[in-house]
Amino acid sequence: GEERTLMAQHVAEGHMTTLPSGLKCAECFLAKTIAKGARKGTTRAPHGLMSCCVDTNDMVHESANGNRYYTGGVLLGSLMNEVECGATKDSIATAKRWRRMKHRFEVVSDPGGTAKVQVLIRDPGTEFEGAMRTEIEKDNVNNRVGETARHTHAGLAENLNRMLPRIAVTMTVSTIM
């Protein structure tokens, strides 16, 4: 009946509509539960340092521009986020994407000032080794590595990975309608 129609509309609009009380979306509930656990205490920068959670994700299919991967970063405290796309996931490409994101974080956070990203919080993926490690060391950025298969260390970046597809679907649906 009506509940089924409201739920179908909620899903079709990318989980962005508010459901009436009593009607719960299992996907929204799970996403909020995961995000809540992943974000617990992570919105504050460690020791007052400008910190950034970063993760690289595989979009599975290439875009029209030939990009298959994206690296997303979220600044702790302000929750400002950036996404950079690329064709490969290797450390050289990841280092280039990180350099561009880091520059934007610093410029937007303190225009004309001296703000620098001081801590990089990431998972132990191979894309953060090699050239990426050299890039981090060159700028004297503290490299905080999480545990394998635990998606809470860089929880804000993991949450960004969940939000981006929903936002993209919502934008696509709204342009069609």
Side-chain angles (χ1 to χ4, degrees):
E2 184 183 350
E3 288 182 351
R4 187 174 260 175
T5 306
L6 286 171
M7 186 60 74
Q9 180 184 3
H10 174 73
V11 172
E13 293 181 11
H15 299 270
M16 300 302 266
T17 58
T18 304
L19 293 170
S21 64
L23 188 59
K24 304 255 187 244
C25 174
E27 289 182 37
C28 289
F29 177 77
L30 182 61
K32 286 177 186 169
T33 304
I34 291 169
K36 184 177 167 186
R39 285 196 314 252
K40 188 176 181 184
T42 61
T43 58
R44 288 184 294 283
H47 309 293
L49 301 175
M50 189 173 181
S51 305
C52 182
C53 291
V54 177
D55 194 25
T56 300
N57 209 359
D58 183 353
M59 295 185 284
V60 182
H61 302 286
E62 278 189 11
S63 69
N65 296 338
N67 296 323
R68 179 176 167 171
Y69 301 93
Y70 70 85
T71 302
V74 181
L75 273 184
L76 274 66
S78 70
L79 300 182
M80 177 187 168
N81 59 71
E82 287 288 337
V83 174
E84 280 286 332
C85 296
T88 63
K89 189 180 177 179
D90 62 46
S91 66
I92 295 170
T94 302
K96 289 177 183 175
R97 291 192 293 267
W98 163 247
R99 191 177 315 123
R100 289 190 299 265
M101 283 191 320
K102 180 179 176 290
H103 176 73
R104 279 196 301 275
F105 283 140
E106 293 169 350
V107 168
V108 171
S109 296
D110 188 16
T114 58
K116 297 285 180 205
V117 174
Q118 298 163 300
V119 179
L120 176 74
I121 304 169
R122 64 177 184 86
D123 62 25
T126 57
E127 71 271 22
F128 296 111
E129 300 300 328
M132 180 64 180
R133 183 177 293 252
T134 304
E135 183 70 26
I136 295 166
E137 290 171 353
K138 180 184 82 172
D139 292 331
N140 200 24
V141 174
N142 184 341
N143 188 13
R144 293 182 61 188
V145 183
E147 298 174 31
T148 303
R150 183 168 182 161
H151 300 282
T152 56
H153 187 73
L156 293 173
E158 297 287 347
N159 196 34
L160 181 64
N161 290 344
R162 287 185 183 89
M163 289 172 25
L164 288 174
R166 284 190 177 168
I167 294 168
V169 167
T170 304
M171 290 170 59
T172 303
V173 168
S174 65
T175 58
I176 294 170
M177 298 181 131

